[in-house]
Amino acid sequence: MKISYNWLKQFLEIDWPAEQAAELLTDLGLEVEGITEFESVKGGLEGIVVGKVLSCEKHPNANKLWLCRVDVGQGETLQIVCGAPNVAAGQSVPVATIGTTLYPTNGEPWKIKKGKIRGLESQGMICAEDEIGLGSSHAGILVLDTEAPAGTPCSELFEVERDRVLEIGLTPNRADAMSHYGVARDLRAGLKHRKLSRELITPSISNFNVDNRSLRIDVSVKDAALAPRYCGITLSNLIVQESPDWLKNRLRAIGLNPINNVVDATNYVLHELGQPLHAFDANRIYGKKIEVKTVAAGTKFMTLDGEERVLHEDDLMICDGEKPMCIAGVYGGINTGVTGDTRNIFLESAYFDPVSIRKTAKRHGLSTDASFRFERGIDINNVEYALIRAAILIRDIAGGEITSDAVDLYPKKIPDHNVFLSYDKIHGLIGQEIPRDTIIAILASLDIQVKSVTESGLGLIIPFFRVDVHREVDVIEEILRVYGYNNVPDKKKFTASIAPPGTTEPHSVQNQLGGQLAANGFYEILGNSLCNPQHNALLDDAAVTAVPLLNPLSRELSEMRRDLIFSGLSAIAHNLNRKQPDLRLFEFGKVYGQANGKWNEENRLSVLVSGNRSRDHWTAKGEPLGFFYLKGLVRKLLEGAGIREPFQETPMEDARFSEALRLEQNGETLAELGLVHPRFLEAFEIRQEVLYADIRWNALLEQIRSNTMQFGEIPRFPEVRRDLALLLDQQVSFQELYQRAFKTEQKLLKEVELFDVYTGDKLPKGKKSYALSFYLQDAKKTLTDGQIDGIMKKLQQAFEKEFSAELR
């Protein structure tokens, strides 16, 4: 938010430099992010002086050029070559001397240099108004109507205004500071606490009077909940024209372009007092009545930007007797705005429900100075005052008359908020005892009234404009920011008790698994919880529906994500577009949905791989990141988290995958993994295979907590390995063999590994060959050959019986 320092000083008599005021504002919580210079004429007419043309003769070498001798003061006469048709002896003209930088109305700045034009030296330049930023005409030089002596700086002649503009990083809660008056109010509080008492100067409305009552507009509010207060007044016989320079300079300093005196006056009061206003052409108000109401859904309305918008049934509209004229608090209509032909206006000032305005603005993708303030909350007690202030200003600069009484519809007065402030709470939160009279003085400087005083605390009345102060802690924050955070001394010694985190705590498990993934070459991503409804629709699950946002930032981000796959694929697409094809990513996040009338929010861990494990090298070609890599990784993650074998592996069908597997333990799904379906890849324009694992975080934590960690002595006796090569049916899986082996030998069998798979044409049709390694160990003694042979025979017989396996 931009604040003009000259404008700010109209409310406070302060002679501080802008930097000092900015430092105090920052201490008060209105952080000044920068200070820029403003000049009503760019460049400030530096180096441009009044010159007297002493003589003007034809250039000997050019028909359209003139050779002038110009007095620029201090006894100095310059020879200047000029091409303007209207130059003549005896004129007073603006002269840019050698070294001056000109800032033209249209174009880039350029510097005046000494040079020759058609063989004759020119020692400066006689300027047109557009060449020095004073206008747009280039028909000839600017002839000055002045008796000022030669050499007088033109900046004095044209009264160039210089200003310092403060750029304040306003936080969303500080609706009270969205104006020059609001910032001045905060600055006054800071000055008072520093024993520099200054009175806040408010614009006077004592000269308000109704000239006649010749133009009456009837006003009715159909829904007082959406428009708790609505005011209006009419002005007639106005002359709509360009605003005076002082007003244009105020608006330009804060980055606004002047339009005309009526519109500029409403914008001025908006940034002066923080109250949005709107002026309607009264001659275009059908039936001479205003109705504040909602209209039927689907009603079409053309806004000032020329765009036709389809209205929602909850959009509050300002209507006349026939049609909508304005989206209340957001944007005006194209047919009732103020133009050069406008002579009579209806001026509106209102307080609209912040939630309603925000929803309407977001629905239509609009963000205006008015909606910015209405949706954060303005001062309802300022509505009529700002209206009268604007009416007086418009009458002063546009002529005309005030031709109606001010209409003020405020049926149900909204009371100020009451808070009890405990002294003990103040000291407990701040950590320092602040004198009670200092507390009361700070509250008074913030316009917070002390209603009652007791030994334990204060009963307070919070002014309506402080929409962010509702609780005791909010008041304490107000006291502290004025008292000064820097005035609270740091303790030399801090004492704290830090309990060691448990190994099964969610953050501990997350750190462990995250470290494990990072050690395997994975990068963590943090995706947006909002997603495109078209992506959620890909999940094709009627039992679970998406959670929509009431006030979405855009249509593309209008639902909560139902799965982490969307943010993962988005990250993969982003990297692929930047020539990074080999990717290993993971994300800890939440997914959201509605099922059986309940809202669901679940934690998940997603793992995505795509491309090769390593780049091609002259010694070896890059190995793809395939399904078995992902499956092995997920099993290692589960084991690393303390979940031991056995896992049940079940093929599954899911919209996310073209081929997939589910890992379960004790009937609980721990992970789902597989090859991402082409429909999902197409939605993100990905043209290479992606594998995805969805790990159920809450189920994983439950399994970890239910498993007891057991520690044993490191075996002193050797481990023995024996291998079997088995001929099996194609449908037999390694998982089935693994589980059968441990059921057959539960005591001495420690591990089973698959080290070779063969499915060549030398085997019978429908058969495959698995080579398995079996690791046996006895913690109490060395195994004998007899024991080992006996176990291997049992295993072979079990495989032959259950799977019709044959020993190769």
Side-chain angles (χ1 to χ4, degrees), residues 432-506:
Q432 176 182 337
E433 188 165 335
I434 299 175
R436 296 185 179 185
D437 56 345
T438 301
I439 292 172
I440 293 173
I442 289 174
L443 292 172
S445 71
L446 292 168
D447 294 330
I448 296 175
Q449 298 178 38
V450 178
K451 182 174 65 173
S452 61
V453 180
T454 67
E455 281 301 313
S456 59
L458 303 169
L460 305 175
I461 300 176
I462 310 299
F464 190 91
F465 63 81
R466 288 315 304 266
V467 296
D468 60 324
V469 179
H470 289 284
R471 304 167 299 168
E472 186 179 20
V473 291
D474 298 330
V475 179
I476 295 171
E477 182 184 359
E478 291 298 296
I479 294 169
L480 183 55
R481 71 181 181 86
V482 176
Y483 180 76
Y485 291 97
N486 295 332
N487 293 327
V488 178
D490 293 332
K491 291 185 177 180
K492 294 182 179 179
K493 182 181 179 181
F494 291 93
T495 304
S497 299
I498 302 175
T503 56
T504 61
E505 291 296 319

Coordinates of all heavy atoms in Angstrom, one line a residue, residues 432-506:
Q432 N 7.0 -8.8 31.2 CA 7.5 -7.6 31.9 C 6.3 -6.8 32.4 O 5.3 -6.8 31.8 CB 8.3 -6.8 30.9 CG 8.8 -5.5 31.5 CD 9.6 -4.6 30.5 OE1 10.1 -5.1 29.5 NE2 9.6 -3.3 30.8
E433 N 6.5 -6.3 33.6 CA 5.4 -5.5 34.2 C 5.4 -4.1 33.6 O 6.4 -3.3 33.7 CB 5.5 -5.4 35.7 CG 4.3 -4.8 36.3 CD 4.2 -5.1 37.8 OE1 4.8 -6.1 38.3 OE2 3.6 -4.3 38.6
I434 N 4.4 -3.7 32.9 CA 4.2 -2.3 32.4 C 3.4 -1.5 33.3 O 2.3 -2.0 33.8 CB 3.6 -2.3 31.0 CG1 4.5 -3.2 30.0 CG2 3.4 -1.0 30.4 CD1 3.9 -3.3 28.6
P435 N 3.8 -0.3 33.7 CA 3.0 0.5 34.6 C 1.5 0.7 34.1 O 1.3 0.8 32.9 CB 3.7 1.9 34.6 CG 5.1 1.5 34.3 CD 5.0 0.4 33.3
R436 N 0.6 0.7 35.1 CA -0.8 0.7 34.7 C -1.2 2.0 34.0 O -2.0 2.0 33.1 CB -1.7 0.5 36.0 CG -1.4 -0.9 36.6 CD -2.4 -1.2 37.7 NE -2.1 -2.6 38.2 CZ -2.9 -3.1 39.2 NH1 -3.9 -2.5 39.7 NH2 -2.6 -4.4 39.6
D437 N -0.6 3.1 34.4 CA -1.0 4.4 33.8 C -0.4 4.4 32.4 O -1.0 5.0 31.5 CB -0.4 5.6 34.6 CG 1.1 5.5 34.8 OD1 1.7 4.4 34.6 OD2 1.7 6.5 35.2
T438 N 0.7 3.7 32.1 CA 1.2 3.6 30.7 C 0.3 2.8 29.9 O 0.0 3.1 28.7 CB 2.6 2.9 30.7 OG1 3.5 3.7 31.5 CG2 3.2 2.8 29.3
I439 N -0.3 1.7 30.4 CA -1.2 0.8 29.7 C -2.4 1.7 29.3 O -2.9 1.6 28.2 CB -1.6 -0.4 30.6 CG1 -0.4 -1.3 30.7 CG2 -2.8 -1.1 29.9 CD1 -0.6 -2.4 31.7
I440 N -3.0 2.4 30.3 CA -4.2 3.2 30.0 C -3.9 4.3 29.0 O -4.8 4.5 28.1 CB -4.7 3.8 31.3 CG1 -5.2 2.7 32.3 CG2 -5.8 4.8 31.1 CD1 -5.6 3.2 33.7
A441 N -2.7 4.9 29.0 CA -2.4 5.9 28.1 C -2.3 5.4 26.7 O -2.7 6.0 25.7 CB -1.1 6.6 28.5
I442 N -1.7 4.2 26.6 CA -1.5 3.5 25.2 C -2.9 3.2 24.7 O -3.2 3.4 23.5 CB -0.6 2.3 25.4 CG1 0.8 2.6 25.6 CG2 -0.8 1.4 24.1 CD1 1.7 1.5 25.9
L443 N -3.8 2.6 25.5 CA -5.1 2.3 25.1 C -5.9 3.5 24.6 O -6.6 3.5 23.6 CB -5.9 1.6 26.2 CG -5.4 0.2 26.6 CD1 -6.1 -0.3 27.9 CD2 -5.6 -0.8 25.5
A444 N -5.7 4.7 25.3 CA -6.4 5.9 24.9 C -5.9 6.4 23.6 O -6.6 6.9 22.7 CB -6.2 7.0 26.0
S445 N -4.5 6.2 23.3 CA -4.0 6.7 22.1 C -4.4 5.8 20.9 O -4.4 6.3 19.7 CB -2.4 6.6 22.1 OG -1.9 5.3 22.2
L446 N -4.9 4.6 21.2 CA -5.4 3.7 20.2 C -7.0 3.8 20.0 O -7.6 3.0 19.3 CB -5.1 2.3 20.5 CG -3.6 1.9 20.4 CD1 -3.3 0.6 21.0 CD2 -3.1 1.9 18.9
D447 N -7.6 4.8 20.7 CA -9.0 5.0 20.7 C -9.8 3.9 21.3 O -11.0 3.7 21.0 CB -9.5 5.3 19.3 CG -9.0 6.6 18.7 OD1 -8.7 7.5 19.5 OD2 -8.8 6.7 17.5
I448 N -9.1 3.1 22.2 CA -9.8 2.1 23.0 C -10.2 2.7 24.3 O -9.4 3.1 25.1 CB -8.9 0.8 23.2 CG1 -8.5 0.2 21.8 CG2 -9.5 -0.2 24.1 CD1 -7.5 -0.9 21.9
Q449 N -11.5 2.7 24.5 CA -12.1 3.3 25.7 C -12.0 2.4 26.9 O -12.3 1.2 26.8 CB -13.6 3.7 25.5 CG -13.8 4.7 24.4 CD -15.2 5.0 24.2 OE1 -16.0 5.1 25.2 NE2 -15.7 5.1 22.9
V450 N -11.6 3.0 28.0 CA -11.6 2.3 29.3 C -13.0 2.5 30.0 O -13.3 3.6 30.4 CB -10.5 2.8 30.2 CG1 -10.5 2.0 31.6 CG2 -9.1 2.5 29.5
K451 N -13.8 1.5 30.1 CA -15.2 1.6 30.6 C -15.2 1.4 32.1 O -15.9 2.1 32.8 CB -16.0 0.5 30.0 CG -17.5 0.5 30.4 CD -18.3 -0.5 29.6 CE -17.9 -1.9 29.9 NZ -18.8 -2.9 29.3
S452 N -14.3 0.6 32.6 CA -14.2 0.3 34.1 C -12.8 0.0 34.5 O -12.1 -0.6 33.7 CB -15.2 -0.8 34.5 OG -14.9 -2.0 33.9
V453 N -12.5 0.3 35.7 CA -11.1 0.0 36.3 C -11.3 -0.8 37.6 O -12.0 -0.3 38.5 CB -10.3 1.3 36.5 CG1 -8.9 0.9 37.0 CG2 -10.2 2.1 35.2
T454 N -10.6 -1.9 37.7 CA -10.6 -2.7 38.9 C -9.2 -3.0 39.3 O -8.3 -2.7 38.5 CB -11.5 -4.0 38.8 OG1 -10.8 -4.9 37.9 CG2 -12.9 -3.7 38.3
E455 N -9.0 -3.6 40.4 CA -7.7 -4.1 40.9 C -7.1 -5.1 39.9 O -5.9 -5.2 39.8 CB -7.7 -4.6 42.3 CG -7.8 -3.5 43.3 CD -6.5 -2.6 43.3 OE1 -5.4 -3.1 43.2 OE2 -6.7 -1.4 43.3
S456 N -8.0 -5.9 39.4 CA -7.5 -7.1 38.5 C -7.4 -6.7 37.1 O -6.6 -7.4 36.3 CB -8.4 -8.3 38.7 OG -9.7 -7.9 38.3
G457 N -8.0 -5.6 36.6 CA -7.9 -5.3 35.2 C -8.8 -4.2 34.8 O -9.3 -3.4 35.6
L458 N -9.0 -4.1 33.4 CA -9.8 -3.0 32.8 C -10.9 -3.6 31.9 O -10.7 -4.6 31.2 CB -8.8 -2.2 31.9 CG -7.6 -1.6 32.6 CD1 -6.6 -1.0 31.5 CD2 -8.0 -0.5 33.6
G459 N -12.1 -2.9 32.0 CA -13.1 -3.2 31.1 C -13.0 -2.3 29.9 O -13.0 -1.0 30.1
L460 N -12.9 -2.8 28.7 CA -12.6 -2.0 27.5 C -13.7 -2.0 26.5 O -14.5 -3.0 26.4 CB -11.3 -2.5 26.9 CG -10.1 -2.5 27.8 CD1 -8.9 -3.1 27.0 CD2 -9.7 -1.2 28.3
I461 N -13.9 -0.9 25.7 CA -14.7 -0.9 24.6 C -13.9 -0.7 23.3 O -13.1 0.3 23.2 CB -15.7 0.3 24.7 CG1 -16.6 0.2 25.9 CG2 -16.6 0.4 23.4 CD1 -17.5 1.4 26.1
I462 N -13.9 -1.7 22.5 CA -13.0 -1.7 21.3 C -13.8 -1.0 20.1 O -14.9 -1.4 19.8 CB -12.7 -3.1 20.9 CG1 -12.2 -4.0 22.0 CG2 -11.7 -3.1 19.7 CD1 -10.9 -3.4 22.7
P463 N -13.2 0.0 19.5 CA -13.9 0.7 18.4 C -14.1 -0.2 17.2 O -13.3 -1.2 17.0 CB -12.9 1.8 18.1 CG -11.6 1.4 18.6 CD -11.8 0.6 19.8
F464 N -15.2 0.0 16.5 CA -15.6 -0.9 15.4 C -14.5 -1.0 14.4 O -14.4 -2.1 13.8 CB -16.9 -0.3 14.8 CG -17.5 -1.3 13.8 CD1 -18.5 -2.2 14.3 CD2 -17.2 -1.3 12.5 CE1 -19.1 -3.1 13.4 CE2 -17.7 -2.2 11.6 CZ -18.7 -3.1 12.1
F465 N -13.8 0.1 14.1 CA -12.8 0.0 13.0 C -11.7 -1.0 13.3 O -10.9 -1.4 12.4 CB -12.2 1.4 12.7 CG -11.4 2.1 13.8 CD1 -10.1 1.7 14.1 CD2 -12.0 3.0 14.6 CE1 -9.4 2.3 15.1 CE2 -11.3 3.7 15.6 CZ -10.0 3.3 15.8
R466 N -11.5 -1.4 14.6 CA -10.5 -2.4 14.9 C -11.1 -3.8 14.7 O -11.4 -4.5 15.7 CB -9.9 -2.2 16.2 CG -9.0 -1.0 16.4 CD -8.0 -0.9 15.2 NE -7.2 -2.1 15.0 CZ -6.0 -2.3 15.6 NH1 -5.4 -1.3 16.3 NH2 -5.3 -3.4 15.4
V467 N -11.3 -4.2 13.5 CA -12.0 -5.5 13.2 C -11.1 -6.7 13.7 O -11.6 -7.8 13.7 CB -12.3 -5.6 11.7 CG1 -13.4 -4.6 11.4 CG2 -11.1 -5.5 10.9
D468 N -9.8 -6.5 13.9 CA -8.9 -7.6 14.3 C -8.7 -7.7 15.8 O -8.0 -8.6 16.2 CB -7.6 -7.4 13.6 CG -6.9 -6.1 14.0 OD1 -7.6 -5.1 14.2 OD2 -5.7 -6.0 14.2
V469 N -9.4 -6.9 16.6 CA -9.2 -6.9 18.0 C -10.5 -7.4 18.6 O -11.5 -6.7 18.7 CB -8.8 -5.5 18.6 CG1 -8.6 -5.6 20.1 CG2 -7.5 -5.1 17.9
H470 N -10.5 -8.7 19.0 CA -11.7 -9.3 19.6 C -11.4 -9.9 21.0 O -12.3 -10.1 21.8 CB -12.3 -10.3 18.7 CG -13.0 -9.7 17.5 ND1 -14.2 -9.1 17.5 CD2 -12.5 -9.6 16.2 CE1 -14.5 -8.7 16.3 NE2 -13.5 -9.0 15.5
R471 N -10.2 -10.3 21.2 CA -9.8 -11.1 22.4 C -8.9 -10.3 23.3 O -8.3 -9.3 22.9 CB -9.2 -12.4 22.0 CG -10.0 -13.3 21.1 CD -9.2 -14.4 20.5 NE -8.1 -13.9 19.7 CZ -7.0 -14.6 19.3 NH1 -7.0 -15.9 19.6 NH2 -6.1 -14.0 18.6
E472 N -8.7 -10.8 24.5 CA -7.8 -10.2 25.4 C -6.4 -10.2 24.9 O -5.7 -9.2 25.0 CB -7.9 -10.9 26.8 CG -7.1 -10.3 27.9 CD -7.2 -11.1 29.2 OE1 -7.6 -12.3 29.1 OE2 -6.9 -10.5 30.2
V473 N -6.0 -11.3 24.2 CA -4.6 -11.3 23.7 C -4.4 -10.3 22.6 O -3.3 -9.8 22.4 CB -4.3 -12.8 23.2 CG1 -4.1 -13.7 24.4 CG2 -5.3 -13.3 22.2
D474 N -5.5 -10.0 21.8 CA -5.4 -9.0 20.8 C -5.1 -7.7 21.3 O -4.3 -6.9 20.8 CB -6.7 -9.0 19.9 CG -7.0 -10.3 19.3 OD1 -6.1 -11.0 18.9 OD2 -8.2 -10.6 19.1
V475 N -5.7 -7.3 22.4 CA -5.5 -6.0 23.1 C -4.0 -6.0 23.6 O -3.4 -4.9 23.5 CB -6.5 -5.8 24.2 CG1 -6.2 -4.5 24.9 CG2 -7.9 -5.8 23.7
I476 N -3.6 -7.1 24.2 CA -2.2 -7.1 24.7 C -1.2 -6.9 23.6 O -0.2 -6.2 23.7 CB -1.9 -8.4 25.4 CG1 -2.8 -8.5 26.7 CG2 -0.5 -8.6 25.8 CD1 -2.8 -9.9 27.4
E477 N -1.5 -7.5 22.4 CA -0.6 -7.3 21.3 C -0.6 -5.8 20.9 O 0.5 -5.2 20.5 CB -1.1 -8.1 20.1 CG -0.2 -8.0 18.9 CD -0.7 -8.8 17.7 OE1 -1.8 -9.4 17.8 OE2 -0.1 -8.7 16.6
E478 N -1.8 -5.1 20.9 CA -1.8 -3.7 20.6 C -1.0 -2.9 21.6 O -0.3 -2.0 21.2 CB -3.3 -3.2 20.7 CG -4.2 -3.8 19.6 CD -3.7 -3.3 18.2 OE1 -3.7 -2.1 17.9 OE2 -3.3 -4.2 17.4
I479 N -1.1 -3.2 22.9 CA -0.3 -2.5 23.9 C 1.2 -2.7 23.6 O 2.0 -1.7 23.6 CB -0.7 -3.0 25.3 CG1 -2.1 -2.6 25.6 CG2 0.3 -2.5 26.3 CD1 -2.6 -3.3 26.9
L480 N 1.6 -3.9 23.3 CA 3.0 -4.2 23.1 C 3.6 -3.6 21.9 O 4.7 -3.1 22.0 CB 3.2 -5.7 23.1 CG 4.6 -6.2 23.0 CD1 5.5 -5.7 24.1 CD2 4.7 -7.8 23.0
R481 N 2.8 -3.5 20.8 CA 3.4 -2.9 19.6 C 3.6 -1.4 19.8 O 4.6 -0.8 19.2 CB 2.6 -3.2 18.4 CG 1.3 -2.5 18.3 CD 0.5 -3.0 17.0 NE -0.8 -2.3 16.9 CZ -0.9 -1.1 16.3 NH1 0.1 -0.5 15.8 NH2 -2.1 -0.5 16.2
V482 N 2.8 -0.7 20.6 CA 3.0 0.7 20.8 C 4.0 0.9 21.9 O 4.9 1.8 21.8 CB 1.6 1.4 21.3 CG1 1.8 2.8 21.6 CG2 0.6 1.3 20.1
Y483 N 4.0 0.1 22.9 CA 5.0 0.1 24.0 C 6.4 -0.1 23.4 O 7.4 0.5 23.8 CB 4.7 -0.9 25.0 CG 5.7 -0.9 26.2 CD1 5.7 0.1 27.2 CD2 6.7 -1.9 26.3 CE1 6.6 0.1 28.2 CE2 7.6 -1.9 27.4 CZ 7.5 -0.9 28.3 OH 8.4 -0.9 29.3
G484 N 6.5 -1.0 22.4 CA 7.8 -1.3 21.7 C 8.3 -2.6 22.1 O 8.7 -2.9 23.2
Y485 N 8.4 -3.5 21.1 CA 9.0 -4.8 21.3 C 10.4 -4.7 21.7 O 10.9 -5.4 22.5 CB 8.9 -5.6 20.0 CG 7.5 -6.1 19.6 CD1 6.8 -5.4 18.7 CD2 7.0 -7.2 20.2 CE1 5.5 -5.8 18.3 CE2 5.7 -7.6 19.9 CZ 5.0 -6.9 18.9 OH 3.7 -7.3 18.6
N486 N 11.1 -3.6 21.2 CA 12.5 -3.4 21.6 C 12.7 -3.0 23.0 O 13.8 -3.0 23.5 CB 13.1 -2.4 20.6 CG 13.2 -2.9 19.2 OD1 13.2 -4.1 19.0 ND2 13.1 -2.0 18.2
N487 N 11.6 -2.5 23.6 CA 11.7 -2.1 25.0 C 11.5 -3.2 26.0 O 11.6 -3.0 27.2 CB 10.6 -1.0 25.3 CG 10.9 0.3 24.5 OD1 12.1 0.6 24.3 ND2 9.9 1.0 24.1
V488 N 11.2 -4.4 25.5 CA 11.1 -5.6 26.4 C 12.5 -6.2 26.4 O 13.0 -6.7 25.4 CB 10.1 -6.6 25.9 CG1 10.0 -7.8 26.8 CG2 8.7 -5.9 25.8
P489 N 13.2 -6.2 27.6 CA 14.6 -6.7 27.6 C 14.7 -8.2 27.5 O 13.7 -8.9 27.9 CB 15.1 -6.3 29.0 CG 13.8 -6.1 29.8 CD 12.8 -5.7 28.9
D490 N 15.7 -8.7 26.8 CA 16.0 -10.1 26.7 C 16.5 -10.6 28.0 O 17.3 -10.0 28.7 CB 17.0 -10.4 25.6 CG 16.5 -10.1 24.3 OD1 15.3 -10.1 24.1 OD2 17.3 -9.7 23.4
K491 N 16.1 -11.8 28.4 CA 16.6 -12.5 29.6 C 18.0 -13.0 29.3 O 18.3 -13.5 28.2 CB 15.7 -13.6 30.1 CG 14.4 -13.1 30.6 CD 13.6 -14.3 31.1 CE 12.3 -13.8 31.8 NZ 11.4 -14.9 32.3
K492 N 18.9 -12.9 30.3 CA 20.2 -13.4 30.1 C 20.3 -14.9 30.1 O 21.2 -15.6 29.6 CB 21.2 -12.8 31.1 CG 21.4 -11.3 31.0 CD 22.3 -10.8 32.0 CE 22.5 -9.3 31.9 NZ 23.4 -8.7 32.9
K493 N 19.3 -15.5 30.8 CA 19.3 -17.0 30.9 C 17.9 -17.5 30.6 O 16.9 -17.0 31.0 CB 19.7 -17.4 32.4 CG 19.7 -18.9 32.6 CD 20.1 -19.2 34.1 CE 20.2 -20.7 34.3 NZ 20.5 -21.0 35.7
F494 N 17.9 -18.6 29.7 CA 16.6 -19.2 29.4 C 16.7 -20.7 29.9 O 17.7 -21.3 29.8 CB 16.4 -19.3 27.9 CG 16.2 -17.9 27.3 CD1 17.2 -17.1 26.8 CD2 14.9 -17.4 27.2 CE1 16.9 -15.9 26.3 CE2 14.6 -16.2 26.7 CZ 15.6 -15.4 26.2
T495 N 15.6 -21.1 30.6 CA 15.6 -22.4 31.1 C 14.4 -23.2 30.4 O 13.3 -22.7 30.3 CB 15.3 -22.4 32.6 OG1 16.3 -21.6 33.2 CG2 15.3 -23.8 33.2
A496 N 14.7 -24.3 29.9 CA 13.7 -25.1 29.2 C 14.0 -26.6 29.4 O 15.1 -27.0 29.5 CB 13.7 -24.8 27.7
S497 N 12.9 -27.4 29.4 CA 13.0 -28.8 29.5 C 12.7 -29.4 28.2 O 11.6 -29.1 27.7 CB 12.1 -29.4 30.6 OG 12.4 -28.8 31.9
I498 N 13.6 -30.2 27.7 CA 13.3 -30.8 26.4 C 13.2 -32.3 26.5 O 14.2 -33.0 27.0 CB 14.5 -30.5 25.4 CG1 14.6 -29.0 25.2 CG2 14.2 -31.1 24.0 CD1 15.8 -28.5 24.4
A499 N 12.1 -32.8 26.3 CA 11.8 -34.3 26.4 C 12.3 -35.0 25.1 O 12.0 -34.5 24.0 CB 10.4 -34.6 26.6
P500 N 13.0 -36.1 25.3 CA 13.5 -36.8 24.1 C 12.3 -37.4 23.3 O 11.4 -37.9 23.9 CB 14.4 -37.9 24.6 CG 13.9 -38.1 26.0 CD 13.4 -36.8 26.5
P501 N 12.3 -37.2 22.0 CA 11.1 -37.6 21.2 C 11.1 -39.2 21.1 O 12.1 -39.8 21.1 CB 11.4 -37.0 19.8 CG 12.8 -36.8 19.7 CD 13.3 -36.5 21.1
G502 N 9.9 -39.7 21.2 CA 9.8 -41.2 21.1 C 10.0 -41.6 19.6 O 9.8 -40.9 18.7
T503 N 10.5 -42.8 19.5 CA 10.9 -43.3 18.1 C 9.7 -43.6 17.3 O 9.7 -43.7 16.1 CB 11.7 -44.6 18.3 OG1 11.0 -45.6 19.0 CG2 13.1 -44.3 18.9
T504 N 8.5 -43.7 18.0 CA 7.3 -44.0 17.2 C 6.4 -42.8 17.0 O 5.3 -42.8 16.4 CB 6.4 -45.1 17.9 OG1 6.0 -44.6 19.2 CG2 7.2 -46.4 18.0
E505 N 6.9 -41.6 17.4 CA 6.2 -40.4 17.2 C 6.2 -40.1 15.7 O 7.2 -40.4 15.0 CB 6.9 -39.2 17.9 CG 6.8 -39.3 19.4 CD 5.3 -39.2 19.9 OE1 4.6 -38.3 19.3 OE2 4.9 -39.9 20.8
P506 N 5.1 -39.5 15.2 CA 5.0 -39.3 13.7 C 6.2 -38.5 13.1 O 6.7 -38.9 12.1 CB 3.7 -38.5 13.6 CG 2.9 -38.9 14.8 CD 3.9 -39.2 15.9

